[in-house]
Amino acid sequence: MKEYPLDLNWLRDFECLARTLNFTRASDERNITQSAFSRRIKALESWVGLPLVNRATYPVQLTEAGRQFLPVALAAVSQLSEARQSLRDADRGDSRFIRFSVLHTIAVNFLASRIEELQLQIPDLRTRVLSDSLSTCCDLLVEGAVDILLCYYHHSVSPMIDEAAFERKDLLKDRLIPVAAADAARVQGWDLDRQDGPPVPYLAYDRSSFLGMVVENTIDRKPLNTETIYVDSLVETIKRRLMTGSGFAWMPETAISTELASGLLVLIGDEEWCATLTISAFGNPATFDQIAQQLWDRL
């Protein structure tokens, strides 16, 4: 049996599956597709060399090997998280950094300018921002590796954060809107309401990404005369293709506000093709020091 390099996310996946005993619920909680989640569990089983889950029962059950491996997996994740936190605490020295985990597009298009404003109001504020996938950002918060998580919140696809342990603070309404380069849209006649004619080239988010799941669970369920020509997980990468006139994409309005105002990008669909998102912060104010509390209050 082929041995794969161990991925820490596999251990987190396994803990989630052992707790829920349901592949669908566990993949939703880990914010990845069920097929990707199943592949990661199988990869972990390949690394261990034995089946960890009995898939023939409903709900699924851990095998004897799975029951023996579970406390080892939990201890490994806990010890690595504690070691990482100790190193980060030592690295900060005398300066207390407020640590954020945040989706990359929110870091670029919202948090950077907001922190700049807050540092004028709170002179002693020091921040460290870690940009990653939604599942990793959530893990960092739950494990205590960061103070505050910033992410998109949507009624159909929301992060599985225990709101009894962490307070949620909604910061800004954003919209996911279908746009294309103005010249290309005009010349090609791109319009999502048209079902005839050539399909509109579509620059899509990977379905395992948060925005990909929002599109798939809301907008993408309507009839579309489109052809997917490019798939990526990053808003900024898709935006580069968008600006060259390669096709259309659903973009967070905060990420393209300048291009919309200048007329470089235009909407190619009305409100029924749009989705409302909320930029939300999660944290536990009970653990905040004075500086962190001031930031949280003004965020």
Side-chain angles (χ1 to χ4, degrees), residues 15 41 44 46 76-77 91 127 132 138 141 153 165 182 195 197 207 245 269 275 290:
E15 178 279 327
I41 293 296
L44 178 61
S46 295
V77 172
D91 179 62
T127 58
D132 215 310
C138 292
L141 177 68
Y153 198 87
Q195 297 299 310
R207 291 189 174 188
Q290 183 178 1

Side-chain angles (χ1 to χ4, degrees), residues 11-277:
L11 301 181
R12 293 175 173 136
D13 293 341
F14 180 57
E15 178 279 327
C16 188
L17 182 59
R19 176 164 41 81
T20 62
L21 298 178
N22 185 290
F23 274 87
T24 301
R25 285 182 56 196
S27 61
D28 286 344
E29 188 167 326
R30 294 291 292 151
N31 289 291
I32 61 174
T33 63
Q34 186 172 338
S35 59
F37 183 86
S38 296
R39 287 195 298 271
R40 292 188 349 186
I41 293 296
K42 288 179 180 177
L44 178 61
E45 291 176 316
S46 295
W47 183 86
V48 173
L50 290 169
L52 301 175
V53 182
N54 182 358
R55 296 165 175 81
T57 63
Y58 184 82
V60 297
Q61 299 293 327
L62 299 187
T63 63
E64 179 59 31
R67 288 191 290 272
Q68 292 180 26
F69 185 67
L70 179 59
V72 177
L74 294 175
V77 172
S78 176
Q79 290 170 14
L80 286 170
S81 298
E82 289 176 7
R84 177 180 59 189
Q85 189 57 43
S86 296
L87 290 170
R88 287 174 174 171
D89 289 343
D91 179 62
R92 286 199 301 267
D94 294 332
S95 298
R96 170 70 168 99
F97 279 73
I98 311 302
R99 300 153 299 165
F100 289 87
S101 62
V102 57
L103 295 179
H104 186 263
T105 187
I106 297 177
V108 172
N109 298 300
F110 172 76
L111 185 59
S113 60
R114 188 71 188 112
I115 286 177
E116 188 173 1
E117 295 170 1
L118 289 169
Q119 285 180 322
L120 296 175
Q121 304 171 34
I122 311 171
D124 294 332
L125 178 62
R126 303 290 181 269
T127 58
R128 177 166 292 168
V129 177
L130 305 173
S131 299
D132 215 310
S133 67
L134 180 60
S135 60
T136 299
C137 288
C138 292
D139 287 335
L140 290 171
L141 177 68
V142 171
E143 294 163 6
V146 298
D147 303 293
I148 297 171
L149 158 70
L150 257 66
C151 63
Y152 283 119
Y153 198 87
H154 185 269
H155 64 86
S156 67
V157 186
S158 57
M160 298 295 182
I161 298 294
D162 182 359
E163 294 198 23
F166 297 97
E167 183 177 324
R168 185 178 110 222
K169 185 174 185 178
D170 294 336
L171 307 179
L172 180 72
K173 291 292 184 184
D174 201 353
R175 290 198 309 157
L176 198 59
I177 59 177
V179 294
D183 289 344
R186 183 181 63 256
V187 171
Q188 303 295 332
W190 290 340
D191 185 346
L192 292 186
D193 291 315
R194 289 183 56 184
Q195 297 299 310
D196 59 339
V200 182
Y202 179 20
L203 312 172
Y205 297 107
D206 189 284
R207 291 189 174 188
S208 65
S209 68
F210 179 80
L211 293 180
M213 287 189 285
V214 171
V215 171
E216 183 178 4
N217 281 276
T218 55
I219 309 164
D220 209 10
R221 293 187 174 182
K222 302 179 180 70
L224 281 168
N225 181 26
T226 63
E227 179 183 4
T228 302
I229 63 167
Y230 181 75
V231 178
D232 206 304
S233 296
L234 291 177
V235 169
E236 285 69 28
T237 310
I238 290 179
K239 181 179 176 180
R240 290 193 188 101
R241 291 291 308 270
L242 190 67
M243 297 304 298
T244 66
S246 298
F248 92 98
W250 272 283
M251 296 292 289
E253 198 166 7
T254 54
I256 54 169
S257 57
T258 300
E259 291 79 7
L260 283 173
S262 66
L264 292 174
L265 292 178
V266 293
L267 280 161
I268 63 165
D270 57 24
E271 283 298 320
E272 72 169 315
W273 300 107
C274 302
T276 300
L277 303 171

